[in-house]
Amino acid sequence: VCECFSARATVSVKSPNSDDIVKMPMNRLQVGDLVMVGSNKFQRVYGFSHKTDNHVANFLQIHLEGTNDPLEMTSSHFAFVAGKKGPIPASELQVGDRLHNVVDGEKEIIKIESATHDDGLFSPLTLDGTIVVNDLLMSTYALPLCMKNVEGETPYMQFAGFQFPLTHSSIHRAIAPFRVFCEIFPSSTSCKEDNGPGQFGTFLFKDISSFFSSRHVLLQWAVLSLYIIVDLLALFIERL
């Protein structure tokens, strides 16, 4: 398990019956909650790629100027950084980088430490693939399966003779079918289970790749083509 925030991270949730906004710890967030995903923007949590209480895990503590509580996230989780083309793994964050605070603008990282906690791992998913944690704009995604990233290079998954970059944007596109499924069937067990979306990610990025990697390249092409069609259909449905 690698792609998560700690239970001590906080999110802002909007009441469905009023404009009241409540800050709560990550471990109290539930599927269906309207969580802040940008400045005064809220979206429904459609699932969790991980939601595990009482689990021991290692986190990076990101300390920022003018804040008391550090942001705690695992090293493979993507973070938006000022001046970068897209989110980068937390392991690549450096002192001096600036993160976007939806309340006070950009905040500079002043210290990065490590910490180990036993109160769980949490990774909620939203339609935009973004979420505001500790008032900071964050991605809801991470490098799948704790894949190691070579510094300065974009990690990738190889399939059918192609190298597919693993970035915030590519992962967001790749899981579009599951995202649409959960929007159409929100009461489905696969969406409401604590780790249902995470199991889909494992199936997509690990199981399919491992099973077909030793098969004939034409079969890999056929599987890839089928998934591209399904994925494009899902992306089209999202735009309706």
Side-chain angles (χ1 to χ4, degrees), residues 159-160 162 164 173-174 176-177 204 208 220-236:
F159 189 79
F162 294 97
F164 297 94
R173 289 193 299 270
L204 177 62
I208 288 183
Q220 295 184 40
W221 268 81
V223 172
L224 177 61
S225 299
L226 177 61
Y227 192 82
I228 288 175
I229 292 172
V230 172
D231 196 54
L232 289 175
L233 178 60
L235 291 170
F236 174 77

Side-chain angles (χ1 to χ4, degrees), residues 16-35:
N17 302 316
S18 69
D19 291 330
D20 294 339
I21 299 173
V22 178
K23 281 195 174 183
M24 64 175 62
M26 185 72 72
N27 60 353
R28 287 180 52 197
L29 192 64
Q30 302 290 328
V31 171
D33 284 345
L34 292 174
V35 69

Side-chain angles (χ1 to χ4, degrees), residues 175-195:
I175 67 169
F178 187 85
R179 196 163 55 242
V180 170
F181 176 83
C182 288
E183 279 298 288
I184 298 175
F185 305 104
S187 60
S188 168
T189 303
S190 296
C191 303
K192 297 181 74 174
E193 284 182 350
D194 289 346
N195 299 310

Side-chain angles (χ1 to χ4, degrees), residues 3-74:
E3 45 191 89
C4 308
F5 298 101
S6 79
R8 306 171 188 212
T10 60
V11 292
S12 298
V13 176
K14 186 176 182 180
S15 170
N17 302 316
S18 69
D19 291 330
D20 294 339
I21 299 173
V22 178
K23 281 195 174 183
M24 64 175 62
M26 185 72 72
N27 60 353
R28 287 180 52 197
L29 192 64
Q30 302 290 328
V31 171
D33 284 345
L34 292 174
V35 69
M36 183 177 285
V37 298
S39 182
N40 295 316
K41 182 179 181 182
F42 295 82
Q43 287 185 349
R44 187 178 73 87
V45 175
Y46 73 83
F48 283 80
S49 59
H50 292 291
K51 187 180 182 186
T52 310
D53 293 300
N54 303 319
H55 187 99
V56 178
N58 298 320
F59 297 94
L60 293 179
Q61 288 186 329
I62 314 299
H63 298 261
L64 297 110
E65 60 176 335
T67 60
N68 295 321
D69 299 321
L71 171 66
E72 295 187 336
M73 60 197 301
T74 48

Side-chain angles (χ1 to χ4, degrees), residues 53-239:
D53 293 300
N54 303 319
H55 187 99
V56 178
N58 298 320
F59 297 94
L60 293 179
Q61 288 186 329
I62 314 299
H63 298 261
L64 297 110
E65 60 176 335
T67 60
N68 295 321
D69 299 321
L71 171 66
E72 295 187 336
M73 60 197 301
T74 48
S75 61
S76 62
H77 207 104
F78 288 114
F80 288 90
V81 179
K84 302 287 186 180
K85 285 186 177 181
I88 63 174
S91 59
E92 295 185 9
L93 292 174
Q94 298 179 356
V95 171
D97 285 342
R98 304 186 69 85
L99 306 182
H100 179 65
N101 185 297
V102 298
V103 177
D104 301 320
E106 294 180 0
K107 291 285 187 178
E108 183 176 337
I109 297 175
I110 58 175
K111 183 170 60 174
I112 300 176
E113 297 179 310
S114 298
T116 301
H117 300 311
D118 61 359
D119 47 6
L121 297 145
F122 304 88
S123 187
L125 297 171
T126 65
L127 295 182
D128 274 359
T130 59
I131 188 169
V132 174
V133 182
N134 288 26
D135 292 331
L136 301 167
L137 182 63
M138 292 284 124
S139 168
T140 60
Y141 306 126
L143 291 178
L145 310 170
C146 294
M147 293 183 64
K148 298 300 182 183
N149 181 30
V150 178
E151 187 173 355
E153 296 182 7
T154 301
Y156 63 87
M157 181 180 76
Q158 189 158 339
F159 189 79
F162 294 97
Q163 291 183 352
F164 297 94
L166 294 172
T167 64
H168 165 87
S169 297
S170 65
I171 294 172
H172 186 69
R173 289 193 299 270
I175 67 169
F178 187 85
R179 196 163 55 242
V180 170
F181 176 83
C182 288
E183 279 298 288
I184 298 175
F185 305 104
S187 60
S188 168
T189 303
S190 296
C191 303
K192 297 181 74 174
E193 284 182 350
D194 289 346
N195 299 310
Q199 293 170 7
F200 176 80
T202 299
F203 171 74
L204 177 62
F205 293 109
K206 179 182 179 183
D207 296 342
I208 288 183
S209 177
S210 297
F211 179 79
F212 287 103
S213 60
S214 60
R215 299 323 193 254
H216 195 281
V217 68
L218 291 180
L219 180 57
Q220 295 184 40
W221 268 81
V223 172
L224 177 61
S225 299
L226 177 61
Y227 192 82
I228 288 175
I229 292 172
V230 172
D231 196 54
L232 289 175
L233 178 60
L235 291 170
F236 174 77
I237 293 173
E238 282 192 313
R239 291 189 175 93

